[in-house]
Amino acid sequence: MEENRCKFWLPKKNRFCANSPLNDSQFCGNHKPRSIEQWIPCPIDPSHSVLKENLESHVKRCPLLKQAQSLSLQPFYQKGINAGKEEEEEDNVSSEMKRSAVYSMTVTQFCKLINKIESVHASTCKDIWESYKVPEACSMWIKREVDRKLPFQEKHVAQQASILGNLEDFGVIKSSVGSKEADSQGFCSDDSNFVHAVVEFGAGRGYLTQMLADCYGFDRVFLVERKSYKLKADRSLRQKESLILERLRIDIEDLNLNAVESLRGIPYLAIGKHLCGPATDLTLRCCLSEQCNQGSVQDCRSNANLKGLAIATCCHHLCQWKHYTNRKFMSDLGITKGQFHAMTWFTSWAVDADHSSDLPDITDCSLQLQSIYYSEEKQCFGDMHGVEDVVRNMKPVERAVLGFKCKQIIDVGRMMWAKEHGLDTQLVKYVPSGISPENHLLLARHAKCL
């Protein structure tokens, strides 16, 4: 009887699988070993994979098929509208591919790349400062004077409050607390510039918008998220009598924001907390149409209903050259596509380190990094053989600092792109790295908000 069973051992049940094996194998269909190459992304939703041999039948019964068909009929759905233009079609470059490319460099090439990163960072990342905010308007959340059913994690509340505090300090939003002082400082008090709606990109459960609505009184909310979540803020937001909530279940890459009927002509604020990898670039394109590149900066300023923007960037190791907004910025600095992908791989080192306490300031750590470099005329890194050995022998703090520098260069390029599109911009560290090493906040506002 055992001979007619699948040979896959089930350790929790302490027995072999009871299914019958396939004719050409010792295993059943569920447990037959398969190589990675046999799995391909589902064409309906690439977030899950399917075996090549099952692709045809899977497409007909994919649970996301009806959702995809319904989405394609929406006026705001436009496939790949925010993806960016690439001369040649190319697939995403995986982390494994990036690592292989780095390890295939010669030690000399690796040294030159590190030196280039050091030089570029020193020349472009001078105006990034700490801006940790705890606005008075958010005191009800800080003191936990909110619905007890809402999830409360101190580190997330601190991040959300600082994002909103930086927006207030930047003059994009105003609270009823100290509003007279705000007007005297020249913030946007003209009704034509008043922000009437908020669009949260990569909204997840929507608790950043929940805090914004609770503390600053927004009455029209749009939540953009491609996934479905349980235990989300929608229920408590809908209980607000004066608030209108609309959730758009769509990938940011395919969202034509100008075609959202209920948002058309309404001044809005765009926000996003921890927009992973290219999602930040997709969001920037979604809010700032590529058509602006064809006109003057003045046309961009008068054309957009976007009044302000706050994006907490995240997961730079997932960034892709084909989606990155400011490839010209990188090219002008002499950074190629391959070097850009190497930099994105380095960024993962920034979050690998121990952040129980803040890392030393980046300018101080640069000396530690420089101590392992030698001039190009000498052999880099002594007797080490290959880049993999070099990386293995770098101290964690050295790798972390290099990762942070690459993250800052990538985000500065995004900030410059928004500035070229007629916005006033800032890039700040909005929380200590001990709260979150993903602590870069890109702020922008309409140029008339002066």
Side-chain angles (χ1 to χ4, degrees):
M1 192 68 180
E2 293 290 336
E3 294 180 359
N4 294 326
R5 286 187 175 186
C6 170
K7 297 300 182 183
F8 188 85
W9 180 256
L10 303 172
K12 290 186 178 181
K13 297 184 178 181
N14 196 32
R15 63 171 174 82
F16 289 102
C17 171
N19 293 333
S20 299
L22 300 175
N23 292 333
D24 60 343
S25 174
Q26 293 181 319
F27 301 93
C28 68
N30 291 331
H31 297 130
K32 181 181 178 181
R34 295 179 173 91
S35 63
I36 296 177
E37 290 75 16
Q38 290 179 284
W39 293 90
I40 59 174
C42 171
I44 296 173
D45 184 351
S47 65
H48 66 281
S49 300
V50 62
L51 285 167
K52 286 183 181 180
E53 61 195 62
N54 297 335
L55 180 61
E56 186 175 350
S57 60
H58 173 82
V59 168
K60 296 177 182 178
R61 55 184 173 81
C62 178
L64 297 173
L65 178 59
K66 289 184 179 180
Q67 178 195 331
Q69 292 173 337
S70 174
L71 179 61
S72 64
L73 299 176
Q74 297 293 336
F76 52 77
Y77 174 81
Q78 190 170 341
K79 183 67 175 175
I81 185 175
N82 303 315
K85 297 178 181 178
E86 183 69 22
E87 295 180 0
E88 298 180 2
E89 289 290 332
E90 65 173 26
D91 295 328
N92 284 342
V93 181
S94 67
S95 293
E96 291 76 12
M97 295 167 66
K98 293 175 182 179
R99 178 180 58 192
S100 297
V102 171
Y103 285 169
S104 66
M105 292 180 181
T106 66
V107 174
T108 301
Q109 289 173 333
F110 182 76
C111 286
K112 289 182 178 179
L113 175 57
I114 302 301
N115 286 328
K116 180 182 289 187
I117 292 170
E118 289 285 324
S119 175
V120 167
H121 182 271
S123 62
T124 62
C125 302
K126 300 176 181 178
D127 298 323
I128 304 173
W129 61 85
E130 296 176 351
S131 183
Y132 312 151
K133 303 292 182 181
V134 184
E136 189 175 351
C138 295
S139 60
M140 62 180 294
W141 269 84
I142 301 297
K143 298 176 182 178
R144 303 188 69 169
E145 298 173 353
V146 292
D147 187 348
R148 291 293 178 179
K149 294 180 180 179
L150 295 175
F152 184 95
Q153 285 187 291
E154 188 174 348
K155 68 174 184 178
H156 291 303
V157 171
Q159 291 173 64
Q160 291 164 190
S162 188
I163 290 172
L164 303 186
N166 274 284
L167 274 170
E168 183 179 340
D169 192 57
F170 200 43
V172 178
I173 60 176
K174 292 193 298 182
S175 70
S176 57
V177 180
S179 58
K180 292 183 179 179
E181 294 181 12
D183 289 340
S184 68
Q185 292 175 10
F187 293 166
C188 280
S189 57
D190 183 359
D191 187 62
S192 64
N193 283 322
F194 184 72
V195 181
H196 293 276
V198 56
V199 182
E200 183 177 357
F201 291 86
R205 293 176 174 83
Y207 288 110
L208 175 59
T209 292
Q210 173 83 64
M211 182 183 284
L212 183 60
D214 285 348
C215 303
Y216 291 86
F218 278 82
D219 55 11
R220 188 179 290 268
V221 170
F222 298 82
L223 302 178
V224 181
E225 175 58 59
R226 66 182 179 182
K227 296 180 181 178
S228 177
Y229 283 90
K230 295 181 180 179
L231 304 174
K232 51 195 177 186
D234 299 40
R235 184 173 182 178
S236 54
L237 284 170
R238 293 185 193 280
Q239 290 176 351
K240 296 178 180 292
E241 294 182 1
S242 60
L243 187 140
I244 300 172
L245 170 65
E246 187 171 346
R247 184 173 277 269
L248 307 177
R249 191 175 174 185
I250 185 174
D251 194 310
I252 303 170
E253 182 177 343
D254 306 321
L255 174 60
N256 182 356
L257 205 60
N258 295 326
V260 178
E261 186 64 32
S262 51
L263 186 62
R264 190 168 292 166
I266 297 177
Y268 71 92
L269 164 68
I271 59 175
K273 176 175 175 282
H274 290 179
L275 278 173
C276 290
T280 295
D281 302 297
L282 302 177
T283 297
L284 289 172
R285 284 200 184 88
C286 187
C287 298
L288 299 167
S289 172
E290 290 281 18
Q291 294 177 353
C292 286
N293 290 333
Q294 301 171 8
S296 65
V297 172
Q298 186 62 40
D299 292 335
C300 295
R301 289 178 176 174
S302 59
N303 185 41
N305 289 314
L306 176 69
K307 297 303 177 183
L309 177 145
I311 297 177
T313 61
C314 176
C315 300
H316 296 73
H317 63 282
L318 298 176
C319 290
Q320 302 289 324
W321 178 260
K322 68 176 183 178
H323 294 312
Y324 186 63
T325 48
N326 210 344
R327 290 177 295 207
K328 184 179 182 299
F329 169 78
M330 291 291 176
S331 298
D332 289 347
L333 292 170
I335 297 174
T336 64
K337 181 196 297 187
Q339 291 173 337
F340 174 83
H341 283 143
M343 288 172 57
T344 64
W345 186 68
F346 295 154
T347 62
S348 63
W349 295 342
V351 295
D352 284 345
D354 178 12
H355 294 282
S356 56
S357 60
D358 283 348
L359 289 173
D361 188 77
I362 281 182
T363 53
D364 295 331
C365 281
S366 64
L367 297 175
Q368 299 179 43
L369 277 170
Q370 283 299 130
S371 68
I372 61 172
Y373 302 147
Y374 293 88
S375 63
E376 293 182 16
E377 290 78 10
K378 298 180 181 179
Q379 178 64 40
C380 278
F381 303 101
D383 297 328
M384 296 180 193
H385 300 288
V387 173
E388 189 170 358
D389 284 343
V390 172
V391 171
R392 189 181 298 113
N393 282 277
M394 290 175 69
K395 296 178 181 178
V397 68
E398 294 167 345
R399 291 197 298 266
V401 170
L402 179 60
F404 273 116
K405 289 189 175 185
C406 291
K407 288 164 74 75
Q408 290 185 356
I409 293 170
I410 291 169
D411 285 341
V412 164
R414 290 162 164 169
M415 180 186 71
M416 297 301 295
W417 189 85
K419 190 173 184 178
E420 290 168 3
H421 282 68
L423 300 180
D424 297 317
T425 58
Q426 282 184 4
L427 183 63
V428 299
K429 291 185 282 186
Y430 72 104
V431 289
S433 58
I435 293 179
S436 174
E438 301 282 17
N439 63 351
H440 288 170
L441 180 66
L442 173 58
L443 294 164
R445 65 183 178 187
H446 196 281
K448 290 182 180 180
C449 294
L450 297 173

